[in-house]
Amino acid sequence: MPKRVVMLLLVIVISLFVSGCWNRRELNELGIVIATAIDIGQNNQWVTSFQVVIPQSVSAQAGNGTAQAPVTVFSTEGKTLQDAFYNASNETPRSLFLAHNRVIVISEEVAKKGVRQIADFYLRHDESRETMDILLTKEKARKLLEVLTPIERIPGNAIDKVLKVGETNLSILRRVKLHEFISSLTNSTLGAVLPQVEITGDQKVQTSLDSLKETKVGAVIKLSGTGVFRRDRLAGWLNREESMGLAWISNRINNSVISFSCKADDNKPLSSFLVEKSSTKLTPNVTKGKLEMLVAIKAEGTLKETGCELNLKNPKTIEKLEEQIEAQIKKQVETTVVTAKKLKIDMLGFGDAFHKKYPDVWKEVSKNWERTFTEVGLSVEVKTEIRRTGMIDQSFPTFTK
């Protein structure tokens, strides 16, 4: 028998055992989930809300002239998250598809109860992505999914981009992915943190499609603070200033604006400094059995504005401004450390720093790190450099005289 015939018969036999795409699902049978919210309902049950895209509304070819919301939001309830997920089949004609889920919003009530089961559910689910953003809100999580945004058609994408811009341009809040959050939860010494978002304005107005026809936005979603976890439960909050201090300590400052006074005895901010480059180094020390942490920060950037009458040609004037900036950064760091010690949660990474430099000492202090952490001495050194003062070398009041 010729070799070519043998190969052809072999291919035919093998094809008989191929079952095809046994688990295929048509696109028009799927409900694409962009964002998920998790709340607690009656009888202490899980309430999951899904923001599902309406394809015909977001399609560029939908030119039939009928206005329709780009997404729909519905909630399901269950004894477990999986139970609530499957109960969604009672409310939607399509199977929910989680592979495109961008954001998970958790309410404060859920976070205080514990997020261990949430982590377990998403790690086990074969469609979920570990790169989803996860965040907190003090209100009902579902409300955030209902707010329509005029610039970004799909609200779930808008929330994701707010987090991205906030981390890149402001550095106030740290953007946390699901896998990063889960990794922090498994660290016995490092407290996990999540960014907080909130709705400002009239949320009910912004859920209507008519709100997108107005030039004034009725409600917006904005970054607010940071939630701090002890193990898998929410233990407290950091405000915006404390969140900024956490970003300094964690060496996560990209671009940020420091508002500061022109004089040491004046609390009114009249000048702005744009941080363009920064670095933070944590140096742990053990002296006579006492633990101390040195936080050394270097920052450089541009003076973006000032309302003070200053001669910016004088190097001493620049030095005084740099001292004011340094004092402002130092205050943010010290305030954050004080709050962390009150919470008895090391979300600053001090424990990891001591573990790496003093492994033998760490074996002893790690046994009761929550108490030992509150006794760690702190020293903050900040060095700033104003590299540029913009297009004029004098302050505007002086410039006009």
Side-chain angles (χ1 to χ4, degrees):
M1 185 179 294
K3 185 177 180 180
R4 183 176 297 178
V5 176
V6 174
M7 292 297 296
L8 180 60
L9 291 174
L10 184 61
V11 170
I12 294 174
V13 172
I14 293 175
S15 64
L16 295 176
F17 295 94
V18 177
S19 59
C21 299
W22 62 272
N23 64 341
R24 70 178 178 84
R25 288 186 289 175
E26 298 294 339
L27 186 61
N28 58 3
E29 297 176 354
L30 300 178
I32 307 299
V33 177
I34 296 297
T36 303
I38 303 177
D39 293 293
I40 296 294
Q42 296 180 352
N43 301 321
N44 207 32
Q45 294 200 78
W46 296 95
V47 177
T48 55
S49 302
F50 303 98
Q51 186 183 96
V52 180
V53 176
I54 301 176
Q56 61 268 28
S57 177
V58 298
S59 173
Q61 298 178 355
N64 53 11
T66 59
Q68 186 178 11
V71 295
T72 182
V73 179
F74 63 91
S75 300
T76 58
E77 191 169 342
K79 297 179 180 179
T80 65
L81 288 170
Q82 188 64 48
D83 185 29
F85 179 78
Y86 272 109
N87 286 340
S89 60
N90 297 327
E91 299 188 26
T92 175
R94 298 190 177 192
S95 300
L96 296 182
F97 186 63
L98 297 179
H100 292 284
N101 194 37
R102 305 284 295 274
V103 176
I104 304 173
V105 186
I106 301 175
S107 69
E108 180 181 20
E109 188 178 10
V110 170
K112 288 182 176 180
K113 177 183 177 181
V115 296
R116 181 179 302 177
Q117 195 164 342
I118 296 174
D120 184 272
F121 171 78
Y122 280 101
L123 284 176
R124 294 180 188 276
H125 206 288
D126 56 353
E127 288 181 356
S128 66
R129 295 183 179 181
E130 297 178 1
T131 55
M132 293 183 290
D133 288 313
I134 182 168
L135 48 94
L136 291 172
T137 181
K138 289 187 176 181
E139 48 203 319
K140 286 292 183 182
R142 174 181 168 132
K143 291 183 178 180
L144 273 82
L145 305 189
E146 297 174 343
V147 175
L148 297 176
T149 53
I151 297 178
E152 195 71 31
R153 283 186 61 83
I154 301 178
N157 291 340
I159 298 174
D160 180 71
K161 291 183 178 181
V162 165
L163 291 170
K164 182 178 180 180
V165 171
E167 181 183 54
T168 303
N169 296 343
L170 300 176
S171 301
I172 296 175
L173 297 180
R174 174 184 173 185
R175 188 182 184 188
V176 180
K177 301 295 185 180
L178 179 63
H179 68 89
E180 294 174 331
F181 180 60
I182 292 174
S183 178
S184 298
L185 291 177
T186 59
N187 190 325
S188 60
T189 59
L190 181 64
V193 296
L194 286 180
Q196 176 200 355
V197 291
E198 63 181 4
I199 301 172
T200 59
D202 190 346
Q203 183 259 347
K204 292 183 179 180
V205 171
Q206 205 60 30
T207 60
S208 171
L209 197 61
D210 292 336
S211 65
L212 300 181
K213 301 176 183 178
E214 303 291 334
T215 57
K216 181 181 179 181
V217 181
V220 296
I221 296 174
K222 61 179 289 186
L223 301 174
S224 182
T226 302
V228 182
F229 286 75
R230 178 180 289 107
R231 299 176 182 87
D232 72 320
R233 297 175 185 269
L234 180 67
W237 298 92
L238 303 180
N239 58 31
R240 289 175 68 90
E241 282 295 303
E242 293 164 344
S243 298
M244 189 70 179
L246 177 60
W248 282 113
I249 297 171
S250 304
N251 195 24
R252 297 181 67 93
I253 295 291
N254 297 314
N255 293 315
S256 188
V257 175
I258 303 295
S259 300
F260 63 99
S261 303
C262 301
K263 298 180 181 179
D265 56 351
D266 187 3
N267 294 324
K268 185 177 181 181
L270 291 172
S271 302
S272 296
F273 174 69
L274 176 63
V275 181
E276 299 172 327
K277 184 179 179 180
S278 71
S279 63
T280 302
K281 182 179 180 181
L282 300 181
T283 304
N285 292 295
V286 180
T287 305
K288 297 181 180 180
K290 184 178 180 180
L291 278 61
E292 298 177 346
M293 180 62 71
L294 170 63
V295 180
I297 298 173
K298 293 182 180 179
E300 58 185 55
T302 302
L303 182 68
K304 300 300 291 185
E305 66 173 313
T306 181
C308 310
E309 295 188 19
L310 302 171
N311 180 12
L312 298 176
K313 294 180 180 179
N314 189 339
K316 292 185 177 180
T317 301
I318 299 297
E319 291 178 4
K320 290 182 179 179
L321 294 179
E322 290 173 343
E323 290 175 359
Q324 289 299 102
I325 298 170
E326 291 166 0
Q328 184 67 20
I329 296 174
K330 184 177 181 180
K331 179 181 177 182
Q332 291 175 339
V333 171
E334 291 176 341
T335 301
T336 303
V337 174
V338 169
T339 301
K341 288 183 176 181
K342 287 182 179 179
L343 294 173
K344 295 183 179 181
I345 301 175
D346 178 17
M347 64 282 191
L348 313 174
F350 286 7
D352 286 343
F354 279 106
H355 186 194
K356 292 177 182 178
K357 188 174 182 179
Y358 300 101
D360 293 335
V361 175
W362 178 251
K363 289 181 181 179
E364 295 298 322
V365 299
S366 62
K367 296 177 182 178
N368 193 1
W369 180 240
E370 287 187 1
R371 180 186 61 81
T372 306
F373 168 68
T374 62
E375 300 173 354
V376 175
L378 177 68
S379 179
V380 182
E381 295 180 359
V382 183
K383 177 62 179 176
T384 62
E385 180 182 358
I386 299 177
R387 302 191 65 182
R388 291 173 292 276
T389 59
M391 301 195 56
I392 57 175
D393 53 11
Q394 299 180 45
S395 58
F396 188 73
T398 304
F399 182 75
T400 55
K401 288 183 179 181

